[in-house]
Amino acid sequence: MQLIETTNAVGHVLCQDITQIIKGVTKDAVFRKGHMVRAEDIPVLLSVGKENLYVWEKEEGMLHENEAAEILYDLCKGENMRPSEIKEGKIELIATCDGVLKIDYDKMNRVNALGEMMIASRHGNFPVKAGDLLAGTRVIPLVIAESKMNRAKEVCGEGSIFQIRQYVHKKVGIVTTGSEVYNGRIKDTFTPVIEEKLAEFDVEIIGHQITDDNHEMITESIMTLLNQGADMIICTGGMSVDPDDRTPLAIKNTGAKMITYGAPVLPGAMFLLAYYKGNIPIVGLPGCVMYAKRTIFDLVLPRIMTDERLRKGDFTALGQGGLCLSCDSCTFPNCGFGKGV
């Protein structure tokens, strides 16, 4: 560091906090260590008795923490997010819309592995709302080599680390299966649960079919709803391995491509997802969705509502964190359920 006259300090970086004392009013730092002095700061500095300042010596190829933080933010930001005020090399990312947060974990890990900079975020693949804090970024030292930030750009390549996928409007058809419901022996208590969960999204329920356990009848009901314009089908019941549980066969017989029948999640191991004509999701929900507070449906539904095309690997990755502990006081999504490595 070097000692310079305050009047010559514009563009230099302070090496210490500058305290302002006004009797009966304030005693606090008016400028923090690391602050880059601006022209409008000079009268303030002089007013607190600072005729001279200790500042960092400028060096070719070195960046102030705030300059580097802006580079780090640019690597992180996607659409539908904004930065917080930059302070001491730290910038936070804040959502500007509702949706599902997506994270390129490989890029984030590679940047964090470089050292002298960091990115910390909430979990990806979970819903966020406008105004939510998504991540915090920070450059650790007061000054950092420009080459180090260039390296961060290289390891990130094209595309940002964070994205928010927005929800899309969906026309949903519901197929309730089971001879006990079809024949009026019991009341349908499954559909109200589905309707309540769908109400959180931009959804229009265009039809509801009730069938017995005949797989041909179930297939016909699914096709009826598809022909009515449904761009998502939810089938409830008939998902286990009992002889009368024929919903998976009925879904397969529509010609839909099966993505998964079964997932490493409890509750929800017998979950099914298929796509009709490549982009219309058909979901088979096991009975646990009717009575358990949180299940695999809560993990998958928000992602489907953004039109994300889920693959087999998206489900196998759910094993770690896939066990709901059924806590007496549920705090989901602020818990470990559905959050893997």
Side-chain angles (χ1 to χ4, degrees), residues 224-244:
T224 296
L225 292 167
L226 289 170
N227 291 332
Q228 290 174 356
D231 47 31
M232 179 177 179
I233 301 291
I234 298 177
C235 300
T236 67
M239 293 302 301
S240 75
V241 294
D242 293 340
D244 290 335

Side-chain angles (χ1 to χ4, degrees), residues 40 53 56 68 128 192 194 211 217 220 230 235 247 259 274 303 316:
E40 59 265 35
L53 297 169
W56 288 99
V128 295
I194 303 308
T211 76
M217 186 178 185
E220 182 180 354
C235 300
T247 303
I259 302 301
R303 298 173 69 176
T316 57

Side-chain angles (χ1 to χ4, degrees), residues 2-222:
Q2 62 176 324
L3 183 65
I4 64 172
E5 293 183 5
T6 298
T7 51
N8 297 325
V10 173
H12 289 272
V13 178
L14 296 177
C15 288
Q16 77 229 60
D17 291 350
I18 304 297
T19 301
Q20 182 182 55
I21 302 175
I22 301 176
K23 185 177 180 181
V25 177
T26 184
K27 180 183 178 182
D28 197 7
V30 66
F31 298 111
R32 296 287 183 185
K33 176 183 176 182
H35 175 74
M36 184 177 290
V37 179
R38 303 161 299 177
E40 59 265 35
D41 299 333
I42 301 301
V44 179
L45 290 165
L46 293 173
S47 73
V48 297
K50 296 298 179 182
E51 299 285 342
N52 299 280
L53 297 169
Y54 281 109
V55 297
W56 288 99
E57 293 186 66
K58 287 188 175 182
E59 184 179 343
E60 188 70 25
M62 300 299 290
L63 296 175
H64 177 249
E65 59 180 351
N66 286 352
E67 295 176 298
E70 290 176 350
I71 294 173
L72 188 56
Y73 170 73
D74 286 339
L75 298 178
C76 290
K77 70 174 182 180
E79 293 183 0
N80 306 310
M81 56 191 71
R82 63 174 176 83
S84 67
E85 180 183 357
I86 185 171
K87 183 179 180 181
E88 298 176 347
K90 177 181 177 182
I91 303 180
E92 296 174 332
L93 285 78
I94 300 165
T96 59
C97 73
D98 295 355
V100 173
L101 177 65
K102 302 294 295 183
I103 303 173
D104 189 324
Y105 294 106
D106 182 56
K107 287 183 179 180
M108 185 166 71
N109 290 341
R110 280 185 281 166
V111 170
N112 281 332
L114 292 174
E116 295 190 303
M117 66 190 81
M118 54 76 64
I119 305 166
S121 76
R122 62 169 62 207
H123 282 279
N125 292 326
F126 275 80
V128 295
K129 293 185 178 297
D132 281 353
L133 175 64
L134 304 176
T137 70
R138 185 159 193 167
V139 173
I140 306 300
L142 184 60
V143 291
I144 187 171
E146 186 175 7
S147 60
K148 193 69 170 284
M149 300 311 301
N150 289 337
R151 178 60 181 151
K153 294 178 186 178
E154 291 173 8
V155 301
C156 280
E158 297 296 325
S160 59
I161 294 174
F162 299 99
Q163 294 288 338
I164 296 178
R165 292 185 64 97
Q166 293 182 269
Y167 300 123
V168 299
H169 175 77
K170 285 198 174 293
K171 298 178 180 179
V172 177
I174 300 175
V175 179
T176 301
T177 70
S179 59
E180 68 278 21
V181 177
Y182 180 73
N183 292 310
R185 299 189 186 104
I186 66 169
K187 182 181 179 181
D188 175 18
T189 56
F190 209 145
T191 302
V193 173
I194 303 308
E195 291 173 338
E196 181 180 355
K197 291 185 182 294
L198 291 176
E200 299 180 17
F201 304 94
D202 183 12
V203 164
E204 175 188 352
I205 298 176
I206 65 168
H208 178 209
Q209 301 274 324
I210 300 178
T211 76
D212 64 15
D213 295 309
N214 181 291
H215 69 85
E216 293 178 346
M217 186 178 185
I218 299 171
T219 299
E220 182 180 354
S221 295
I222 294 172

